[in-house]
Amino acid sequence: MTSLTNNCLCGSDLPYNQCCELLHAGTSHATTAKALMRSRFTAYAMHNGDYLLQTWDAPNRPEAIDFSKETGEWTSLTIIATKKGTEKDSKGIVEFKAYFTQDGEAQVMHEISRFVKKQGRWFYLDGKVKSIGSSNGPVNQGLNAPCACGSGKKFKRCCAN
């Protein structure tokens, strides 16, 4: 868990109490889709379901978030790309990799998330997981994904055999 003096898990290089805690406490709001993504990652890592629900677009929001089956520990976030999502936009996309450990093994989840701004506040709309796998080796993108060896063939016709 993040302490007040350690750098925030979101990757900002700021202490938690000068970064995501301000958003989690409601002291301020994310001004960009990227900032909301960072704060939601940290909230998820800290099992802050209330913040996640508050920042989820209402039509898509689940009734609750259950962390009881969560077995991994989220360790860091890398933003890969953003499309729109600035202070002037009403929609945005954030592509990221979220790193975690599970059963002592380093893992990574690669996702593209969509955000929407309503009445001046950003909300998480939905996301599409591109891949999940070991951060130290090939990532499982499915049998129809291009093979990680670079052959140009589908994984199922190459290294899966």
Side-chain angles (χ1 to χ4, degrees):
M1 180 147 318
T2 301
S3 78
L4 298 180
T5 56
N6 289 344
N7 283 348
C8 192
L9 288 173
C10 78
S12 68
D13 293 329
L14 292 171
Y16 172 70
N17 65 351
Q18 295 175 25
C19 190
C20 288
E21 183 181 38
L22 300 171
L23 284 85
H24 295 168
T27 306
S28 65
H29 300 289
T31 57
T32 65
K34 181 179 176 180
L36 183 60
M37 178 64 242
R38 289 185 179 283
S39 69
R40 285 179 56 84
F41 169 79
T42 303
Y44 196 88
M46 298 176 77
H47 296 188
N48 184 345
D50 290 340
Y51 180 77
L52 293 170
L53 292 171
Q54 290 167 8
T55 57
W56 207 313
D57 188 41
N60 300 326
R61 182 185 310 140
E63 290 186 29
I65 298 174
D66 182 10
F67 291 106
S68 67
K69 295 180 181 142
E70 186 76 24
T71 60
E73 179 181 347
W74 297 92
T75 57
S76 65
L77 176 73
T78 301
I79 302 295
I80 305 297
T82 60
K83 183 176 180 182
K84 297 194 176 191
T86 68
E87 293 179 27
K88 297 177 182 178
D89 297 314
S90 60
K91 296 179 181 179
I93 295 174
V94 179
E95 181 177 358
F96 65 93
K97 289 186 178 180
Y99 295 86
F100 63 101
T101 56
Q102 190 160 11
D103 300 325
E105 186 177 336
Q107 303 281 324
V108 62
M109 179 183 74
H110 186 178
E111 182 175 316
I112 297 175
S113 291
R114 297 186 314 150
F115 297 85
V116 63
K117 186 163 64 172
K118 295 180 177 179
Q119 298 176 343
R121 292 190 55 190
W122 283 101
F123 294 92
Y124 171 76
L125 191 59
D126 59 22
K128 181 178 180 184
V129 175
K130 291 184 72 172
S131 63
I132 298 176
S134 171
S135 64
N136 298 326
V139 174
N140 178 5
Q141 296 180 336
L143 294 175
N144 288 317
C147 192
C149 75
S151 68
K153 298 178 183 178
K154 291 183 179 182
F155 177 69
K156 69 182 178 185
R157 304 237 186 264
C158 192
C159 292
N161 290 328

